[in-house]
Amino acid sequence: AVHLTQIVNFLKLILKNHNMPFLIKDDLNTVSTTEIIDLITNSNDNIVDEIIGECIDVMITYLGSYYDMDSAFAEVGANRNKTLVKYLKALVIYEIPKRRGKRVPRDEAEDYNEAMNWLEKVAAGEWRANLPPKKEVTEDGSSKDIGFYKLKSNKSYKNHW
């Protein structure tokens, strides 16, 4: 059973950021110049928007099991999680030259690898991200954070008897 307050909060979130994307091409100015991006994409902002969307989906796939990614990606401007922005930019700026079959510069490849490592570590529960936790509604109607489950086996030892 979904509470009315959850629906209202969700609608407020949608209305607050109506049509405001989490990341736009101009945000990439800390990792590249607009001129280079325009040169690679032939000044087609739809390509940049598509790549941003694809990279957001990658991040949601990795982080969505334990974190409320709808809320995280609904934030705009200074309210955005800085780590999420940093690693999203790394993914996007890596993918842009690949779209045209161009070689990815080494610095961009290193930033991409760092971003993917962060995603993998957070997804595995080895690291925690400063993101809103995913919630589940309990039988009594309250909500609680979905916790991390690490599946590991105990080391087996040989018996010598």
Side-chain angles (χ1 to χ4, degrees):
V2 176
H3 276 65
L4 183 59
T5 55
Q6 290 174 312
I7 294 170
V8 169
N9 288 338
F10 179 71
L11 291 174
K12 283 181 184 177
L13 189 66
I14 291 172
L15 291 174
K16 173 184 159 192
N17 299 316
H18 182 66
N19 291 330
M20 294 295 296
F22 183 78
L23 191 78
I24 59 173
K25 182 173 87 172
D26 288 345
D27 291 325
L28 298 173
N29 66 0
T30 59
V31 291
S32 184
T33 64
T34 304
E35 293 79 17
I36 291 173
I37 294 169
D38 285 343
L39 184 66
I40 295 170
T41 62
N42 203 24
S43 297
N44 186 343
D45 289 350
N46 291 333
I47 292 172
V48 178
D49 293 342
E50 185 177 320
I51 292 171
I52 291 170
E54 291 168 358
C55 292
I56 286 173
D57 281 350
V58 167
M59 295 185 100
I60 289 170
T61 299
Y62 275 92
L63 304 174
S65 294
Y66 303 110
Y67 296 102
D68 182 355
M69 299 312 296
D70 290 338
S71 292
F73 283 116
E75 296 294 340
V76 294
N79 293 328
R80 299 176 297 179
N81 178 285
K82 304 286 187 269
T83 304
L84 204 58
V85 171
K86 173 186 175 174
Y87 289 134
L88 178 57
K89 287 179 184 182
L91 297 179
V92 170
I93 210 65
Y94 177 83
E95 292 293 335
I96 287 174
K98 282 180 54 185
R99 184 63 54 117
R100 295 282 304 262
K102 303 287 183 195
R103 191 176 68 79
V104 177
R106 187 172 67 202
D107 288 348
E108 291 173 8
E110 288 172 1
D111 291 346
Y112 172 85
N113 289 333
E114 180 185 335
M116 291 305 296
N117 182 55
W118 180 79
L119 288 170
E120 289 166 3
K121 297 272 188 193
V122 172
E126 295 176 34
W127 293 350
R128 299 274 189 228
N130 183 22
L131 295 168
K134 193 171 212 173
K135 305 260 187 204
E136 67 180 350
V137 177
T138 61
E139 289 180 15
D140 67 0
S142 63
S143 66
K144 68 175 189 170
D145 295 355
I146 294 178
F148 281 85
Y149 300 103
K150 287 177 112 176
L151 301 176
K152 289 188 172 184
S153 62
N154 291 332
K155 183 175 173 105
S156 58
Y157 296 94
K158 229 179 209 182
N159 291 326
H160 296 289
W161 54 63

